[in-house]
Amino acid sequence: MALPHFDLPERDIPLQLIWPVAGNPVAMLSFETPQQWRAFVAEMALDPAIPDPTRLKFERALKLFLLGWLDADLMKGAELIEVVPPSWTGLRLS
Protein backbone atom coordinates (compact mmCIF):
# COMPACT_ATOMS: atom_id res chain seq x y z
CA MET A 1 0.00 0.00 0.00
CA ALA A 2 1.23 3.45 -0.80
CA LEU A 3 0.41 5.94 1.91
CA PRO A 4 -0.73 9.32 0.63
CA HIS A 5 2.23 11.60 0.20
CA PHE A 6 1.90 14.90 1.97
CA ASP A 7 4.44 16.74 4.05
CA LEU A 8 4.28 16.14 7.76
CA PRO A 9 5.89 18.96 9.75
CA GLU A 10 8.68 18.42 12.22
CA ARG A 11 7.61 18.19 15.88
CA ASP A 12 9.10 20.00 18.85
CA ILE A 13 8.96 16.82 20.90
CA PRO A 14 9.07 13.18 19.72
CA LEU A 15 5.83 11.28 19.25
CA GLN A 16 5.77 8.52 21.85
CA LEU A 17 3.56 5.48 21.56
CA ILE A 18 3.07 2.40 23.68
CA TRP A 19 3.23 -0.48 21.22
CA PRO A 20 3.88 -4.22 21.52
CA VAL A 21 7.25 -5.49 20.30
CA ALA A 22 8.88 -8.91 20.55
CA GLY A 23 9.45 -9.64 24.22
CA ASN A 24 7.68 -6.52 25.50
CA PRO A 25 3.92 -6.03 25.06
CA VAL A 26 4.11 -2.46 26.42
CA ALA A 27 7.24 -1.02 24.81
CA MET A 28 7.53 2.76 24.56
CA LEU A 29 8.39 3.69 20.98
CA SER A 30 9.65 7.15 20.14
CA PHE A 31 9.53 8.79 16.70
CA GLU A 32 11.67 11.88 16.22
CA THR A 33 11.04 12.58 12.54
CA PRO A 34 8.06 12.37 10.19
CA GLN A 35 10.06 9.93 8.06
CA GLN A 36 10.41 7.51 10.99
CA TRP A 37 6.67 7.75 11.65
CA ARG A 38 5.74 7.23 7.98
CA ALA A 39 7.99 4.14 7.78
CA PHE A 40 6.43 2.72 10.97
CA VAL A 41 2.89 3.20 9.66
CA ALA A 42 3.80 1.79 6.22
CA GLU A 43 5.08 -1.42 7.86
CA MET A 44 1.53 -2.12 9.08
CA ALA A 45 0.12 -2.44 5.54
CA LEU A 46 -1.75 -5.65 4.78
CA ASP A 47 -0.76 -8.12 2.09
CA PRO A 48 -2.42 -7.30 -1.27
CA ALA A 49 -3.90 -10.82 -1.26
CA ILE A 50 -6.26 -9.82 1.57
CA PRO A 51 -9.78 -9.30 0.15
CA ASP A 52 -10.49 -5.72 -0.89
CA PRO A 53 -13.24 -4.86 1.63
CA THR A 54 -10.96 -5.74 4.55
CA ARG A 55 -7.76 -4.35 3.06
CA LEU A 56 -9.31 -1.05 1.94
CA LYS A 57 -10.91 -0.46 5.33
CA PHE A 58 -7.54 -1.07 6.98
CA GLU A 59 -5.83 1.31 4.52
CA ARG A 60 -8.28 4.06 5.48
CA ALA A 61 -7.41 3.45 9.11
CA LEU A 62 -3.69 3.67 8.30
CA LYS A 63 -4.21 7.07 6.68
CA LEU A 64 -5.75 8.33 9.92
CA PHE A 65 -2.94 6.71 11.88
CA LEU A 66 -0.41 8.56 9.71
CA LEU A 67 -2.19 11.83 10.50
CA GLY A 68 -1.74 10.95 14.17
CA TRP A 69 1.62 12.68 13.74
CA LEU A 70 -0.34 15.95 13.68
CA ASP A 71 -2.90 15.09 16.35
CA ALA A 72 -2.62 11.91 18.41
CA ASP A 73 -6.41 11.80 18.84
CA LEU A 74 -6.68 10.72 15.20
CA MET A 75 -5.00 7.43 16.13
CA LYS A 76 -8.05 6.58 18.26
CA GLY A 77 -10.26 7.19 15.24
CA ALA A 78 -8.11 4.80 13.24
CA GLU A 79 -8.48 2.14 15.93
CA LEU A 80 -12.26 2.59 15.94
CA ILE A 81 -12.44 2.10 12.16
CA GLU A 82 -10.87 -1.31 12.64
CA VAL A 83 -13.08 -2.53 15.48
CA VAL A 84 -16.51 -1.42 14.24
CA PRO A 85 -18.26 -4.45 12.71
CA PRO A 86 -19.51 -3.94 9.13
CA SER A 87 -23.07 -4.61 10.34
CA TRP A 88 -22.91 -1.37 12.39
CA THR A 89 -22.01 0.68 9.33
CA GLY A 90 -24.54 -0.84 6.97
CA LEU A 91 -21.81 -2.32 4.76
CA ARG A 92 -22.36 -5.67 3.12
CA LEU A 93 -19.20 -7.66 2.57
CA SER A 94 -20.77 -10.45 0.53
Side-chain angles (χ1 to χ4, degrees):
M1 174 198 119
L3 290 170
H5 190 71
F6 44 81
D7 292 332
L8 294 172
E10 296 291 330
R11 293 173 57 101
D12 293 332
I13 58 172
L15 175 62
Q16 294 187 324
L17 183 66
I18 297 173
W19 197 262
V21 297
N24 186 357
V26 291
M28 179 66 75
L29 303 182
S30 183
F31 302 92
E32 308 237 352
T33 67
Q35 295 80 13
Q36 290 174 330
W37 179 245
R38 184 180 294 276
F40 174 74
V41 173
E43 287 176 7
M44 290 188 268
L46 296 179
D47 187 293
I50 301 294
D52 281 350
T54 301
R55 187 176 43 78
L56 295 174
K57 180 180 175 187
F58 192 77
E59 286 178 4
R60 285 191 297 273
L62 286 183
K63 289 177 190 176
L64 268 180
F65 213 76
L66 179 63
L67 290 171
W69 179 261
L70 303 173
D71 182 346
D73 288 343
L74 293 171
M75 287 187 266
K76 181 52 73 181
E79 292 168 357
L80 291 173
I81 286 173
E82 284 309 305
V83 299
V84 173
S87 61
W88 290 6
T89 64
L91 294 177
R92 295 185 139 215
L93 298 180
S94 56

